[in-house]
Amino acid sequence: MFGEGHAHLFMNGYDYRKAVETHKGHIREDILRGYLEEYRKRGITFIRDGGDNLGVSSFVKNIAAEYGIDYRTPVFAIHKNGHYGSIVGKGFDSVKEYENLVREAKRQGADFIKLMVSGLVDFSKYGVITSTPLSRDEMKELFQFAHEEGMAVMVHANGAETVRNAAECGADSIEHGRYVDKEAIEAMAEAHTIWVPTVVTVRNLIGCGRFPDEIVRKIYETDCRNIRLGKEKGVTLALGSDAGAYMVPHGKGLEDEYRTFQDIFGESEEWNEYLERGEKELRERFLRS
Ligand SMILES: [Zn+2]
């Protein structure tokens, strides 16, 4: 089985607030072991976590090997205060504070840095992304410092301009990448950015009743078109489901993501090899140097 390129072990797949309640102040080892078992039994041997601010992923890093899993974590994600990201990490106001957070993540054993540079997709309105993105200059400075510290950068980014900027400024991977356009896709191809579209976070919302189906479907169709164009342009694509997010259970989320890619491209050896290359690159790049 492929590796899970984007998961949050601290989340439960249905309710963020409940997940926080579950682990705050007392990490629930039994629940986390249950999730790791879901991965193990499916033959998933690699997980790249997206971080949390409760110390859960750091904890999991110590026990994942018991399940035969190579588990990588940024410990917590980093965001600029006043922008999206506090649900999975720590915020900064000044560049100095950001640099201290990078050092803190390293001290706590981070394998790479996770940075939020845009908001979330609003599933009730087509084309809308919450929160203001970081500017190109900010991204450039932040990525550069992480690289100087020997850390790859996993970048949460939505929106064509934001993704293009992030790729051009040296993001190692783009997470989600909703609403990209041809230029953003070409920028990812050119810069050898790994794209982890986490498309099942959209697809699994179809028919769930939480958001208007016609909007969710339209976003999903846009995604399918963009992912197809991504492959056409030679973007390195990797599987990651954002497991733990709403409607994306641990273990099964990756199977759903893989099936979605099969629906988009059909089943073929060539396509499996393409995805294997993406995963190999994830494993190689998201290791602390
Ligand atoms: Zn995530």
Side-chain angles (χ1 to χ4, degrees), residues 6-8 11 49-51 84 87-88 114 116 120 154 156 175-176 198 201 241-243 245:
H6 188 142
H8 296 268
M11 291 204 261
D49 203 284
Y84 172 72
I87 73 161
V88 285
K114 166 84 181 287
M116 319 300 269
L120 288 175
M154 173 185 191
H156 164 110
E175 309 301 309
H176 318 304
T198 66
T201 55
S241 72
D242 213 357

Side-chain angles (χ1 to χ4, degrees), residues 13 56 58 253 279:
V56 172
S58 291
E279 180 178 333

Side-chain angles (χ1 to χ4, degrees), residues 123-125 205 207 209-218:
F123 286 104
S124 59
K125 289 180 222 102
L205 294 180
R210 195 186 217 184
F211 303 102
D213 262 346
E214 71 274 16
I215 307 282
V216 179
R217 257 180 224 286
K218 201 169 161 194

